[in-house]
């Protein structure tokens, strides 16, 4: 059943009356009383409340609760470093009150959608801030505090305890010592120091030496990003020749008409391209020659995924052994001490009869005194006699085989 506009206004007014406390706390920056809002962000979450007044939050363009920048979700120190802004708010009571009154007057003359002061005159964006910006909600910030009784082993609530039963962090960890005023003034903020160190070590995208490469690889598309959205983003850098989406790999290849357009798109989109809430990966494509040589290397494909071996296929053959040129070729794996080398003489020329048995050079030269006698050549055997090696009486196992045939 649809509700009227008056009912929605009534419900919102009741919710605001239940969550706010007019002039309930002092602002932790300017020490002036302000209206405090207190609410629970979800089940088994701790109650959150506003910590600074609206004037102090608008002067720095930060959240009243977490004091992070409203546009990038980063600490003030990181934001001011990326935008090269040095906005020094007075810290003494008299100067702070005078500065706050002037800022309230400037805020009243604006529509409230843009920052004021030096921050409003700063550049609209920064590459470092776009790389460090958080694009998804950080729900760990809403978790309840650690139960001090559980740490001492004295908590008796069990699962009904509204606090976390976890081991506390190391007290020597810099992140364990955070101050709300240091966060607001942008000095000695351990979270900001950690993010600035990460920014100094972030990778860069270098253009390939091959000037013929004008293709960019876009990864992490998911199922929501279409070629139209890719075209709407990349057409501003130059003429696009083709856009190819590989749905199975959730990636796309965008080919520009000129190298200058591809370099501009890579520089402006690397580590800061966000479409439909997804941070996309931007890399340079490869040339056709390099793709053919390096498409599959050490079991890793061009996309960076490891290829599993196909079951049932034989493995890679071992390399052939290194042969020594001086070593004799032993094709029958004979013992070098008992092997014999066959020396076959050339047949006599036509018209000349061979010498009779016992005359002329021997046809076979046994090597070694242990070698068995070799059978005579085919032309010198008596007629009707054929020599079979399996019938050689000196062959090993011949007597056993003969007995088995005759039933011995």
């Amino acid at each position: 059943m649809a509700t009227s506009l008056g009912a929605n206004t009534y419900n919102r007014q009741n919710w605001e009356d239940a969550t706010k406390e007019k002039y309930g706390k002092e602002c932790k920056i300017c020490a002036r009383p302000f209206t405090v809002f207190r609410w629970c962000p979800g089940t088994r979450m701790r109650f959150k409340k506003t910590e600074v007044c609206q004037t102090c939050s608008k002067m720095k363009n930060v959240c009243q609760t977490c004091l992070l920048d409203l546009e990038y979700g980063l600490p003030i120190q990181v934001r001011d470093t990326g935008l090269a802004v040095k906005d020094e708010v007075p810290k003494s009571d008299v100067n702070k009150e005078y500065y706050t009154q002037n800022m309230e007057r400037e805020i009243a003359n604006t529509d409230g959608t843009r920052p004021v002061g030096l921050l409003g005159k700063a550049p609209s964006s920064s590459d470092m801030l776009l790389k460090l910006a958080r694009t998804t909600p950080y729900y760990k910030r809403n978790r309840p505090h650690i139960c001090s009784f559980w740490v001492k082993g004295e908590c008796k609530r069990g699962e009904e305890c509204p606090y976390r039963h976890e081991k506390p962090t190391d007290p020597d960890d810099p992140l364990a010592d955070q101050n709300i005023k240091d966060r607001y003034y942008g000095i000695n903020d351990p979270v900001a120091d950690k993010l600035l160190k990460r920014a100094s070590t972030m990778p860069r995208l270098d253009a390939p030496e091959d000037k013929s490469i004008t293709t960019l690889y876009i990864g992490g598309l998911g199922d929501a990003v279409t070629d139209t959205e890719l075209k709407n983003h990349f057409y501003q850098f130059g003429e696009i020749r083709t856009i190819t989406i590989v749905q199975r790999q959730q990636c796309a290849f965008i080919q520009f008409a000129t190298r200058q357009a591809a370099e501009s798109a890579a520089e402006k989109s690397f580590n800061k391209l966000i479409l439909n809430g997804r941070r996309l990966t931007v890399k340079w494509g490869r040339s056709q020659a390099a793709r053919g040589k390096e498409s599959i290397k050490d079991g890793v494909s061009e996309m960076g995924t490891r290829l599993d071996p196909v079951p049932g296929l034989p493995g890679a053959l071992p390399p052939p052994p290194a042969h020594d040129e001086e070593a004799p070729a032993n094709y029958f794996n004979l013992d070098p001490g008992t092997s014999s080398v066959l020396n076959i003489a050339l047949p006599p020329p036509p018209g000349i009869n061979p010498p009779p048995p016992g005359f002329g050079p021997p046809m076979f030269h046994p090597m070694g005194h242990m070698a068995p006698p070799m059978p005579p050549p085919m032309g010198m055997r008596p007629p009707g006699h054929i020599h079979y090696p399996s019938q050689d009486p000196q062959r090993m196992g011949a007597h056993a085989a003969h007995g088995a045939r005759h039933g011995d």
Side-chain angles (χ1 to χ4, degrees):
M1 181 178 65
T3 58
S4 62
L5 181 61
N8 288 335
T9 306
Y10 176 78
N11 292 334
R12 184 172 64 252
Q13 185 68 32
N14 288 344
W15 180 85
E16 290 182 355
D17 293 340
T19 57
K20 75 177 181 179
E21 183 180 359
K22 196 169 185 179
Y23 303 112
K25 293 287 184 178
E26 288 185 354
C27 175
K28 294 186 177 180
I29 303 301
C30 64
R32 297 186 302 176
F34 72 105
T35 301
V36 178
F37 283 84
R38 185 176 181 271
W39 72 98
C40 183
T43 307
R44 299 189 64 85
M45 298 291 181
R46 64 184 175 94
F47 275 84
K48 309 293 291 292
K49 67 179 186 299
T50 52
E51 304 290 348
V52 298
C53 64
Q54 288 190 12
T55 303
C56 292
S57 66
K58 289 181 179 179
M59 287 192 303
K60 290 285 189 176
N61 193 33
V62 295
C63 173
Q64 289 184 257
T65 303
C66 62
L67 270 68
L68 297 178
D69 182 75
L70 294 177
E71 184 175 356
Y72 301 102
L74 298 172
I76 297 176
Q77 184 176 350
V78 179
R79 192 265 320 271
D80 292 349
T81 303
L83 298 178
V85 174
K86 191 176 182 180
D87 190 8
E88 296 182 356
V89 179
K91 299 181 181 180
S92 63
D93 295 339
V94 177
N95 293 336
K96 187 189 304 179
E97 185 67 24
Y98 178 75
Y99 180 82
T100 303
Q101 290 180 1
N102 292 336
M103 296 304 297
E104 284 183 337
R105 192 178 302 110
E106 185 177 350
I107 292 172
N109 295 330
T110 61
D111 57 357
T113 59
R114 294 288 302 171
V116 295
L118 295 178
L119 185 60
K121 303 176 183 178
S124 58
S125 62
S126 170
D127 293 345
M128 183 188 73
L129 298 181
L130 292 175
K131 294 177 183 178
L132 295 176
R134 185 182 296 277
T135 58
T136 56
Y138 187 67
Y139 295 111
K140 289 185 178 180
R141 195 180 295 118
N142 301 331
R143 295 185 303 172
H145 296 291
I146 295 177
C147 180
S148 59
F149 290 91
W150 181 85
V151 175
K152 296 183 291 185
E154 300 177 359
C155 183
K156 300 180 181 179
R157 294 185 179 183
E159 296 182 356
E160 297 179 356
C161 182
Y163 299 97
R164 283 188 294 152
H165 289 182
E166 296 180 6
K167 184 179 178 181
T169 58
D170 186 5
D172 297 332
D173 187 4
L175 298 179
D177 186 15
Q178 300 184 31
N179 188 285
I180 190 171
K181 289 189 176 181
D182 292 343
R183 172 69 58 80
Y184 184 82
Y185 292 115
I187 55 174
N188 301 327
D189 188 355
V191 179
D193 294 338
K194 180 180 178 181
L195 291 174
L196 290 176
K197 290 180 181 179
R198 183 192 303 175
S200 61
T201 59
M202 293 185 70
R204 300 180 304 172
L205 184 63
D206 298 328
E209 297 180 358
D210 189 358
K211 298 298 182 180
S212 63
I213 299 177
T214 60
T215 304
L216 295 181
Y217 164 82
I218 312 298
L221 297 180
D223 298 331
V225 181
T226 62
D227 56 347
T228 304
E229 294 172 341
L230 292 174
K231 183 178 180 180
N232 292 338
H233 173 77
F234 284 100
Y235 85 98
Q236 57 182 321
F237 305 110
E239 181 182 354
I240 298 176
R241 185 170 297 173
T242 57
I243 297 180
T244 305
I245 294 182
V246 184
Q247 197 65 35
R248 183 177 180 182
Q249 301 292 340
Q250 294 187 351
C251 65
F253 296 91
I254 301 178
Q255 185 180 13
F256 289 87
T258 61
R259 174 60 178 258
Q260 183 179 0
E263 291 181 357
S264 178
E267 180 182 358
K268 300 295 183 181
S269 304
F270 178 67
N271 270 1
K272 48 193 172 184
L273 176 58
I274 301 173
L275 293 179
N276 291 341
R278 297 179 63 91
R279 183 181 293 274
L280 306 183
T281 304
V282 179
K283 297 180 181 180
W284 280 96
R286 296 183 180 181
S287 61
Q288 297 293 338
R291 191 179 307 171
K293 296 179 180 179
E294 301 179 4
S295 59
I296 299 178
K297 182 178 181 181
D298 295 335
V300 179
S301 66
E302 183 181 359
M303 299 300 177
T305 57
R306 181 163 293 277
L307 302 177
D308 297 330
V310 180
L313 294 180
L317 295 177
H323 295 287
D324 190 0
E325 295 181 358
E326 298 180 358
N330 189 4
Y331 299 103
F332 301 99
N333 296 327
L334 300 178
D335 188 2
T338 60
S339 63
S340 60
V341 179
L342 185 63
N343 185 9
I344 302 178
L346 294 176
I352 301 178
N353 296 327
F359 297 93
M363 299 294 292
F364 298 92
H365 301 275
M367 302 298 291
H369 61 282
M370 297 298 295
M374 301 298 294
M378 294 295 296
M380 304 180 67
R381 295 175 186 173
H385 177 75
I386 301 177
H387 175 77
Y388 295 97
S390 61
Q391 298 178 358
D392 192 349
Q394 296 183 3
R395 185 174 61 87
M396 294 181 62
H399 180 71
H402 180 75
R405 288 196 300 269
H406 292 276
D408 293 345

